[in-house]
Amino acid sequence: MTDRLSVIFAALADPTRRAILARLAEGEATVTELAEPFDISLPAISRHLKVLENAGLISRSRSAQWRSSRLEAEPLREATAWMDRYRRFWDENLTRLDAHLKRIQEKP
């Protein structure tokens, strides 16, 4: 069984899916609207949407013949929280490195 973060990061690994998420951050959109900026088929966009949906990054609804997609932010929060621990680690280490370099430069 694959853990949730692995599924989220796998979905985010593709630039087309990241672009779709960026578009959905502006509001709901249909498959046709999401496909407009890409030079790929509607079935290919639908496959990308399925990956995003399986990761919980989007939800999809149907109204008559239109199927729209909506961004779901919670999985992004989970991924960000996981990465934030490492951001703090690097921030602290880079701050220490900066202080060390300043000390070296100040020595006669």
Side-chain angles (χ1 to χ4, degrees), residues 38-85:
F38 303 106
D39 190 25
I40 58 177
S41 67
L42 287 177
I45 291 293
S46 291
R47 287 190 293 275
H48 282 297
L49 292 174
K50 189 68 173 166
V51 170
L52 292 169
E53 185 177 28
N54 288 340
L57 293 163
I58 67 167
S59 60
R60 297 166 78 183
S61 62
R62 184 179 294 273
S63 174
Q65 75 271 22
W66 303 108
R67 187 169 182 139
S68 63
S69 299
R70 174 184 321 118
L71 178 67
E72 297 295 337
E74 186 55 35
L76 292 173
R77 281 191 203 103
E78 291 176 40
T80 301
W82 184 85
M83 289 185 296
D84 194 48
R85 291 181 296 185

Short mmCIF file of all heavy atoms in Angstrom, two decimals, residues 38-85:
data_model
loop_
_atom_site.label_atom_id
_atom_site.label_comp_id
_atom_site.label_asym_id
_atom_site.label_seq_id
_atom_site.Cartn_x
_atom_site.Cartn_y
_atom_site.Cartn_z
N PHE A 38 -2.94 23.36 -23.42
CA PHE A 38 -2.05 22.23 -23.68
C PHE A 38 -2.25 21.68 -25.09
O PHE A 38 -3.34 21.71 -25.63
CB PHE A 38 -2.30 21.11 -22.66
CG PHE A 38 -2.14 21.56 -21.25
CD1 PHE A 38 -3.24 21.76 -20.44
CD2 PHE A 38 -0.87 21.80 -20.73
CE1 PHE A 38 -3.10 22.19 -19.14
CE2 PHE A 38 -0.72 22.22 -19.42
CZ PHE A 38 -1.83 22.43 -18.62
N ASP A 39 -1.19 21.14 -25.63
CA ASP A 39 -1.23 20.51 -26.94
C ASP A 39 -1.36 18.99 -26.76
O ASP A 39 -0.56 18.22 -27.29
CB ASP A 39 0.03 20.87 -27.73
CG ASP A 39 -0.07 20.44 -29.18
OD1 ASP A 39 -1.20 20.32 -29.69
OD2 ASP A 39 1.00 20.22 -29.79
N ILE A 40 -2.35 18.59 -25.95
CA ILE A 40 -2.61 17.16 -25.73
C ILE A 40 -4.12 16.94 -25.83
O ILE A 40 -4.91 17.88 -25.75
CB ILE A 40 -2.05 16.66 -24.38
CG1 ILE A 40 -2.63 17.43 -23.20
CG2 ILE A 40 -0.53 16.73 -24.37
CD1 ILE A 40 -2.15 16.93 -21.84
N SER A 41 -4.50 15.70 -25.98
CA SER A 41 -5.91 15.36 -26.20
C SER A 41 -6.74 15.49 -24.92
O SER A 41 -6.21 15.50 -23.81
CB SER A 41 -6.02 13.93 -26.71
OG SER A 41 -5.61 13.02 -25.69
N LEU A 42 -8.05 15.58 -25.10
CA LEU A 42 -8.96 15.61 -23.94
C LEU A 42 -8.85 14.33 -23.12
O LEU A 42 -8.84 14.40 -21.88
CB LEU A 42 -10.40 15.83 -24.40
CG LEU A 42 -10.73 17.24 -24.87
CD1 LEU A 42 -12.18 17.31 -25.37
CD2 LEU A 42 -10.52 18.25 -23.77
N PRO A 43 -8.73 13.15 -23.75
CA PRO A 43 -8.53 11.94 -22.92
C PRO A 43 -7.25 12.01 -22.08
O PRO A 43 -7.24 11.51 -20.95
CB PRO A 43 -8.48 10.81 -23.95
CG PRO A 43 -9.28 11.32 -25.10
CD PRO A 43 -8.98 12.80 -25.15
N ALA A 44 -6.20 12.62 -22.62
CA ALA A 44 -4.96 12.75 -21.84
C ALA A 44 -5.18 13.67 -20.64
O ALA A 44 -4.71 13.38 -19.54
CB ALA A 44 -3.83 13.27 -22.72
N ILE A 45 -5.89 14.77 -20.85
CA ILE A 45 -6.21 15.67 -19.74
C ILE A 45 -7.06 14.93 -18.71
O ILE A 45 -6.83 15.04 -17.49
CB ILE A 45 -6.95 16.93 -20.25
CG1 ILE A 45 -6.01 17.82 -21.06
CG2 ILE A 45 -7.57 17.72 -19.09
CD1 ILE A 45 -4.89 18.46 -20.26
N SER A 46 -8.02 14.14 -19.18
CA SER A 46 -8.87 13.37 -18.27
C SER A 46 -8.03 12.40 -17.43
O SER A 46 -8.31 12.20 -16.25
CB SER A 46 -9.94 12.61 -19.05
OG SER A 46 -10.87 13.51 -19.59
N ARG A 47 -7.01 11.80 -18.03
CA ARG A 47 -6.14 10.90 -17.26
C ARG A 47 -5.37 11.67 -16.19
O ARG A 47 -5.21 11.20 -15.06
CB ARG A 47 -5.19 10.14 -18.19
CG ARG A 47 -5.89 9.05 -19.00
CD ARG A 47 -4.92 8.15 -19.74
NE ARG A 47 -4.18 8.82 -20.79
CZ ARG A 47 -4.63 9.01 -22.03
NH1 ARG A 47 -5.82 8.56 -22.38
NH2 ARG A 47 -3.87 9.62 -22.93
N HIS A 48 -4.89 12.87 -16.54
CA HIS A 48 -4.22 13.71 -15.55
C HIS A 48 -5.18 14.06 -14.41
O HIS A 48 -4.80 14.03 -13.24
CB HIS A 48 -3.69 15.00 -16.19
CG HIS A 48 -2.44 14.82 -16.97
ND1 HIS A 48 -1.24 14.41 -16.41
CD2 HIS A 48 -2.17 15.00 -18.29
CE1 HIS A 48 -0.30 14.35 -17.34
NE2 HIS A 48 -0.84 14.70 -18.49
N LEU A 49 -6.41 14.38 -14.76
CA LEU A 49 -7.40 14.73 -13.74
C LEU A 49 -7.68 13.54 -12.83
O LEU A 49 -7.86 13.71 -11.61
CB LEU A 49 -8.69 15.22 -14.40
CG LEU A 49 -8.58 16.56 -15.12
CD1 LEU A 49 -9.89 16.88 -15.85
CD2 LEU A 49 -8.21 17.68 -14.16
N LYS A 50 -7.69 12.34 -13.38
CA LYS A 50 -7.92 11.14 -12.57
C LYS A 50 -6.79 10.95 -11.55
O LYS A 50 -7.04 10.62 -10.39
CB LYS A 50 -8.04 9.91 -13.49
CG LYS A 50 -8.48 8.68 -12.78
CD LYS A 50 -9.91 8.84 -12.33
CE LYS A 50 -10.42 7.53 -11.77
NZ LYS A 50 -11.67 7.72 -11.04
N VAL A 51 -5.56 11.20 -11.98
CA VAL A 51 -4.42 11.09 -11.05
C VAL A 51 -4.57 12.12 -9.93
O VAL A 51 -4.37 11.82 -8.76
CB VAL A 51 -3.08 11.29 -11.80
CG1 VAL A 51 -1.91 11.42 -10.83
CG2 VAL A 51 -2.84 10.15 -12.78
N LEU A 52 -4.92 13.36 -10.29
CA LEU A 52 -5.11 14.42 -9.30
C LEU A 52 -6.26 14.08 -8.35
O LEU A 52 -6.17 14.31 -7.15
CB LEU A 52 -5.35 15.76 -9.99
CG LEU A 52 -4.16 16.34 -10.75
CD1 LEU A 52 -4.59 17.51 -11.61
CD2 LEU A 52 -3.04 16.73 -9.80
N GLU A 53 -7.32 13.52 -8.90
CA GLU A 53 -8.47 13.14 -8.08
C GLU A 53 -8.10 12.00 -7.13
O GLU A 53 -8.45 12.03 -5.94
CB GLU A 53 -9.63 12.73 -8.98
CG GLU A 53 -10.92 12.44 -8.22
CD GLU A 53 -12.07 12.11 -9.15
OE1 GLU A 53 -11.84 11.59 -10.27
OE2 GLU A 53 -13.21 12.36 -8.75
N ASN A 54 -7.37 11.01 -7.62
CA ASN A 54 -6.94 9.89 -6.76
C ASN A 54 -6.04 10.35 -5.62
O ASN A 54 -6.02 9.74 -4.56
CB ASN A 54 -6.25 8.81 -7.59
CG ASN A 54 -7.22 8.04 -8.45
OD1 ASN A 54 -8.42 8.02 -8.21
ND2 ASN A 54 -6.71 7.42 -9.50
N ALA A 55 -5.30 11.42 -5.86
CA ALA A 55 -4.42 11.98 -4.83
C ALA A 55 -5.19 12.90 -3.87
O ALA A 55 -4.64 13.37 -2.89
CB ALA A 55 -3.28 12.76 -5.48
N GLY A 56 -6.46 13.16 -4.18
CA GLY A 56 -7.27 14.03 -3.34
C GLY A 56 -7.03 15.51 -3.61
O GLY A 56 -7.53 16.35 -2.88
N LEU A 57 -6.26 15.82 -4.65
CA LEU A 57 -5.92 17.22 -4.95
C LEU A 57 -7.05 17.97 -5.65
O LEU A 57 -7.06 19.19 -5.64
CB LEU A 57 -4.64 17.28 -5.79
CG LEU A 57 -3.39 16.82 -5.05
CD1 LEU A 57 -2.27 16.51 -6.03
CD2 LEU A 57 -2.97 17.87 -4.05
N ILE A 58 -7.96 17.24 -6.28
CA ILE A 58 -9.12 17.87 -6.90
C ILE A 58 -10.35 17.03 -6.59
O ILE A 58 -10.25 15.85 -6.24
CB ILE A 58 -8.99 18.03 -8.44
CG1 ILE A 58 -8.98 16.67 -9.12
CG2 ILE A 58 -7.77 18.86 -8.80
CD1 ILE A 58 -9.15 16.73 -10.64
N SER A 59 -11.49 17.65 -6.73
CA SER A 59 -12.76 16.93 -6.70
C SER A 59 -13.46 17.25 -8.01
O SER A 59 -13.23 18.30 -8.61
CB SER A 59 -13.61 17.32 -5.50
OG SER A 59 -13.89 18.70 -5.53
N ARG A 60 -14.30 16.33 -8.45
CA ARG A 60 -14.99 16.52 -9.72
C ARG A 60 -16.49 16.35 -9.50
O ARG A 60 -16.92 15.52 -8.72
CB ARG A 60 -14.48 15.50 -10.74
CG ARG A 60 -12.99 15.73 -11.01
CD ARG A 60 -12.35 14.59 -11.72
NE ARG A 60 -12.68 14.63 -13.14
CZ ARG A 60 -12.30 13.72 -14.02
NH1 ARG A 60 -11.59 12.69 -13.62
NH2 ARG A 60 -12.63 13.83 -15.28
N SER A 61 -17.25 17.17 -10.21
CA SER A 61 -18.70 17.09 -10.13
C SER A 61 -19.29 17.13 -11.53
O SER A 61 -18.66 17.60 -12.47
CB SER A 61 -19.26 18.24 -9.28
OG SER A 61 -18.95 19.48 -9.89
N ARG A 62 -20.51 16.63 -11.65
CA ARG A 62 -21.16 16.58 -12.95
C ARG A 62 -22.46 17.37 -12.86
O ARG A 62 -23.23 17.22 -11.93
CB ARG A 62 -21.46 15.15 -13.36
CG ARG A 62 -22.05 15.03 -14.75
CD ARG A 62 -22.31 13.60 -15.14
NE ARG A 62 -21.10 12.81 -15.29
CZ ARG A 62 -20.39 12.72 -16.40
NH1 ARG A 62 -20.77 13.38 -17.47
NH2 ARG A 62 -19.33 11.96 -16.46
N SER A 63 -22.66 18.24 -13.85
CA SER A 63 -23.89 19.00 -13.98
C SER A 63 -24.33 18.88 -15.43
O SER A 63 -23.67 19.43 -16.32
CB SER A 63 -23.65 20.47 -13.61
OG SER A 63 -24.82 21.22 -13.86
N ALA A 64 -25.40 18.12 -15.67
CA ALA A 64 -25.85 17.81 -17.03
C ALA A 64 -24.70 17.12 -17.77
O ALA A 64 -24.15 16.14 -17.28
CB ALA A 64 -26.34 19.05 -17.76
N GLN A 65 -24.29 17.64 -18.92
CA GLN A 65 -23.19 17.01 -19.67
C GLN A 65 -21.82 17.57 -19.27
O GLN A 65 -20.80 17.11 -19.74
CB GLN A 65 -23.40 17.15 -21.18
CG GLN A 65 -23.14 18.53 -21.75
CD GLN A 65 -24.37 19.43 -21.73
OE1 GLN A 65 -25.31 19.22 -20.97
NE2 GLN A 65 -24.36 20.46 -22.55
N TRP A 66 -21.78 18.60 -18.41
CA TRP A 66 -20.52 19.23 -18.02
C TRP A 66 -19.97 18.58 -16.76
O TRP A 66 -20.69 18.32 -15.81
CB TRP A 66 -20.72 20.72 -17.77
CG TRP A 66 -21.28 21.42 -18.97
CD1 TRP A 66 -22.54 21.90 -19.11
CD2 TRP A 66 -20.63 21.68 -20.20
NE1 TRP A 66 -22.72 22.45 -20.34
CE2 TRP A 66 -21.54 22.33 -21.05
CE3 TRP A 66 -19.35 21.42 -20.69
CZ2 TRP A 66 -21.22 22.73 -22.34
CZ3 TRP A 66 -19.04 21.82 -21.96
CH2 TRP A 66 -19.96 22.46 -22.77
N ARG A 67 -18.69 18.35 -16.77
CA ARG A 67 -18.01 17.82 -15.60
C ARG A 67 -16.94 18.82 -15.21
O ARG A 67 -16.00 19.06 -15.97
CB ARG A 67 -17.40 16.46 -15.92
CG ARG A 67 -16.83 15.81 -14.70
CD ARG A 67 -16.47 14.38 -14.95
NE ARG A 67 -15.97 13.83 -13.71
CZ ARG A 67 -16.27 12.64 -13.26
NH1 ARG A 67 -17.04 11.86 -13.95
NH2 ARG A 67 -15.77 12.22 -12.12
N SER A 68 -17.08 19.42 -14.05
CA SER A 68 -16.11 20.42 -13.63
C SER A 68 -15.22 19.87 -12.53
O SER A 68 -15.56 18.92 -11.84
CB SER A 68 -16.81 21.70 -13.15
OG SER A 68 -17.60 21.42 -12.02
N SER A 69 -14.06 20.48 -12.41
CA SER A 69 -13.08 20.10 -11.40
C SER A 69 -12.82 21.27 -10.48
O SER A 69 -12.87 22.42 -10.91
CB SER A 69 -11.76 19.67 -12.07
OG SER A 69 -11.97 18.57 -12.90
N ARG A 70 -12.51 20.95 -9.23
CA ARG A 70 -12.26 21.97 -8.21
C ARG A 70 -11.02 21.57 -7.41
O ARG A 70 -10.84 20.41 -7.07
CB ARG A 70 -13.47 22.06 -7.28
CG ARG A 70 -13.30 22.97 -6.10
CD ARG A 70 -14.51 22.95 -5.15
NE ARG A 70 -15.77 22.88 -5.85
CZ ARG A 70 -16.64 21.86 -5.72
NH1 ARG A 70 -16.37 20.86 -4.90
NH2 ARG A 70 -17.77 21.85 -6.38
N LEU A 71 -10.18 22.54 -7.09
CA LEU A 71 -9.00 22.31 -6.28
C LEU A 71 -9.40 21.95 -4.86
O LEU A 71 -10.29 22.58 -4.29
CB LEU A 71 -8.12 23.57 -6.28
CG LEU A 71 -6.85 23.53 -5.44
CD1 LEU A 71 -5.86 22.54 -6.03
CD2 LEU A 71 -6.23 24.91 -5.36
N GLU A 72 -8.72 20.98 -4.29
CA GLU A 72 -8.88 20.61 -2.88
C GLU A 72 -7.55 20.88 -2.19
O GLU A 72 -6.53 20.27 -2.52
CB GLU A 72 -9.28 19.14 -2.74
CG GLU A 72 -10.62 18.79 -3.36
CD GLU A 72 -11.80 19.47 -2.67
OE1 GLU A 72 -11.67 19.86 -1.49
OE2 GLU A 72 -12.86 19.61 -3.33
N ALA A 73 -7.54 21.80 -1.26
CA ALA A 73 -6.29 22.30 -0.69
C ALA A 73 -5.68 21.42 0.40
O ALA A 73 -4.47 21.46 0.63
CB ALA A 73 -6.49 23.71 -0.14
N GLU A 74 -6.46 20.61 1.06
CA GLU A 74 -5.94 19.86 2.21
C GLU A 74 -4.73 19.00 1.89
O GLU A 74 -3.74 19.02 2.64
CB GLU A 74 -7.04 19.02 2.85
CG GLU A 74 -6.62 18.32 4.13
CD GLU A 74 -6.05 19.26 5.20
OE1 GLU A 74 -6.52 20.41 5.31
OE2 GLU A 74 -5.12 18.85 5.91
N PRO A 75 -4.72 18.24 0.80
CA PRO A 75 -3.50 17.46 0.51
C PRO A 75 -2.27 18.34 0.28
O PRO A 75 -1.15 17.95 0.61
CB PRO A 75 -3.87 16.70 -0.77
CG PRO A 75 -5.35 16.61 -0.73
CD PRO A 75 -5.81 17.90 -0.11
N LEU A 76 -2.47 19.53 -0.27
CA LEU A 76 -1.34 20.45 -0.44
C LEU A 76 -0.83 20.92 0.92
O LEU A 76 0.38 21.09 1.10
CB LEU A 76 -1.75 21.65 -1.30
CG LEU A 76 -2.03 21.33 -2.77
CD1 LEU A 76 -2.59 22.55 -3.48
CD2 LEU A 76 -0.79 20.81 -3.45
N ARG A 77 -1.73 21.11 1.87
CA ARG A 77 -1.31 21.47 3.23
C ARG A 77 -0.47 20.36 3.85
O ARG A 77 0.53 20.61 4.51
CB ARG A 77 -2.52 21.75 4.12
CG ARG A 77 -3.13 23.09 3.93
CD ARG A 77 -4.17 23.39 5.03
NE ARG A 77 -5.08 24.38 4.53
CZ ARG A 77 -6.32 24.15 4.09
NH1 ARG A 77 -6.82 22.94 4.15
NH2 ARG A 77 -7.07 25.12 3.63
N GLU A 78 -0.90 19.11 3.63
CA GLU A 78 -0.15 17.97 4.16
C GLU A 78 1.26 17.94 3.57
O GLU A 78 2.24 17.74 4.30
CB GLU A 78 -0.86 16.66 3.82
CG GLU A 78 -2.16 16.45 4.55
CD GLU A 78 -2.87 15.19 4.10
OE1 GLU A 78 -2.17 14.17 3.88
OE2 GLU A 78 -4.10 15.22 3.97
N ALA A 79 1.37 18.11 2.26
CA ALA A 79 2.68 18.09 1.61
C ALA A 79 3.53 19.26 2.09
O ALA A 79 4.74 19.10 2.36
CB ALA A 79 2.52 18.14 0.10
N THR A 80 2.93 20.42 2.23
CA THR A 80 3.65 21.61 2.68
C THR A 80 4.14 21.42 4.12
O THR A 80 5.27 21.78 4.45
CB THR A 80 2.76 22.86 2.57
OG1 THR A 80 2.38 23.02 1.20
CG2 THR A 80 3.47 24.10 3.04
N ALA A 81 3.29 20.85 4.96
CA ALA A 81 3.69 20.62 6.36
C ALA A 81 4.88 19.67 6.42
O ALA A 81 5.81 19.87 7.21
CB ALA A 81 2.51 20.06 7.15
N TRP A 82 4.87 18.64 5.60
CA TRP A 82 5.99 17.70 5.57
C TRP A 82 7.27 18.40 5.11
O TRP A 82 8.32 18.24 5.72
CB TRP A 82 5.66 16.52 4.65
CG TRP A 82 6.72 15.47 4.64
CD1 TRP A 82 6.85 14.44 5.52
CD2 TRP A 82 7.80 15.37 3.73
NE1 TRP A 82 7.96 13.69 5.20
CE2 TRP A 82 8.56 14.24 4.09
CE3 TRP A 82 8.21 16.12 2.62
CZ2 TRP A 82 9.71 13.85 3.41
CZ3 TRP A 82 9.34 15.73 1.93
CH2 TRP A 82 10.07 14.60 2.32
N MET A 83 7.16 19.19 4.05
CA MET A 83 8.33 19.90 3.53
C MET A 83 8.80 21.00 4.47
O MET A 83 9.99 21.32 4.52
CB MET A 83 8.02 20.50 2.16
CG MET A 83 7.90 19.46 1.07
SD MET A 83 7.67 20.16 -0.57
CE MET A 83 6.11 20.98 -0.40
N ASP A 84 7.90 21.58 5.25
CA ASP A 84 8.25 22.70 6.12
C ASP A 84 9.29 22.30 7.16
O ASP A 84 10.15 23.09 7.52
CB ASP A 84 6.99 23.25 6.79
CG ASP A 84 7.24 24.59 7.43
OD1 ASP A 84 7.83 25.47 6.76
OD2 ASP A 84 6.85 24.77 8.61
N ARG A 85 9.22 21.05 7.64
CA ARG A 85 10.23 20.59 8.59
C ARG A 85 11.62 20.70 8.00
O ARG A 85 12.58 21.08 8.67
CB ARG A 85 9.97 19.15 9.01
CG ARG A 85 8.74 18.97 9.86
CD ARG A 85 8.58 17.55 10.25
NE ARG A 85 8.36 16.76 9.03
CZ ARG A 85 8.09 15.47 9.00
NH1 ARG A 85 8.03 14.81 10.10
NH2 ARG A 85 7.89 14.86 7.86
#
